[in-house]
Structures are given as C-alpha cells and as structure tokens.
Amino acid sequence: GKVLLVIHITGHGEVVKTKDSQQREQEHFYFVPTGEVFKTEEDVVRKGIKWAAFEEFARIPDCHKLFLVDACHSGAIVAEQE
C-alpha cells in the first residue's frame, strides 16, 4: 500500500481578505504559530504562513495525505480551494 503522510498543525488561524485583478474579494488562510502576536493584517501576511505553503505537501507523489488543522478560521482553507 501507499504511505500515509500526516500533517498536523495547531495554533492560531487568521483570514486576510484581498481583491484579485478583477476586484473580486478573496479570503486567504494564514497559520499563526502559538506564541506569536500579530496586531495587524500586515503582520499576519508578513510573518504568518499562508496556506499555499502547506499545499506543497499535497504535491508529494505516491502517498496519501491527511491534513489536520486545529486553528480558528480553518474552514477558510476549503473556501480557498473553490
């Protein structure tokens, strides 16, 4: 059988809203490690980990993947995929 890759992250989650080139609003999930304090959205974008960075794990071939995300606003990850 195939190998199972499990990614489990626990911390804070933030959603940052941006607009695309056609001025449509988009939401992006950022993971904020526990212990970090971000006071502004700019702090989140500059220091947080955008969900796209974790998507790199999804590209690893020949294994199943399971992402466990224990963070506020993690439902935004699903919306980001649509």
Side-chain angles (χ1 to χ4, degrees), residues 64-81:
H64 297 285
K65 292 92 178 170
L66 175 63
F67 290 89
L68 301 170
V69 182
D70 181 7
C72 292
H73 309 292
S74 59
I77 294 168
V78 176
E80 209 171 307
Q81 305 305 307

Side-chain angles (χ1 to χ4, degrees), residues 36-56:
E36 292 292 330
V37 178
F38 298 160
K39 297 181 182 192
T40 66
E41 281 191 352
E42 290 78 20
D43 286 345
V44 172
V45 171
R46 192 172 66 253
K47 299 178 188 175
I49 304 169
K50 192 173 183 179
W51 182 251
F54 293 100
E55 290 176 342
E56 293 297 318

Side-chain angles (χ1 to χ4, degrees), residues 16-63:
V16 175
K17 294 181 181 181
T18 61
K19 293 195 177 190
D20 66 13
S21 60
Q22 297 176 343
Q23 297 302 307
R24 292 179 297 203
E25 192 171 87
Q26 297 179 321
E27 293 184 344
H28 300 281
F29 176 80
Y30 284 81
F31 176 71
V32 179
T34 302
E36 292 292 330
V37 178
F38 298 160
K39 297 181 182 192
T40 66
E41 281 191 352
E42 290 78 20
D43 286 345
V44 172
V45 171
R46 192 172 66 253
K47 299 178 188 175
I49 304 169
K50 192 173 183 179
W51 182 251
F54 293 100
E55 290 176 342
E56 293 297 318
F57 290 108
R59 293 185 180 89
I60 296 174
D62 300 324
C63 70

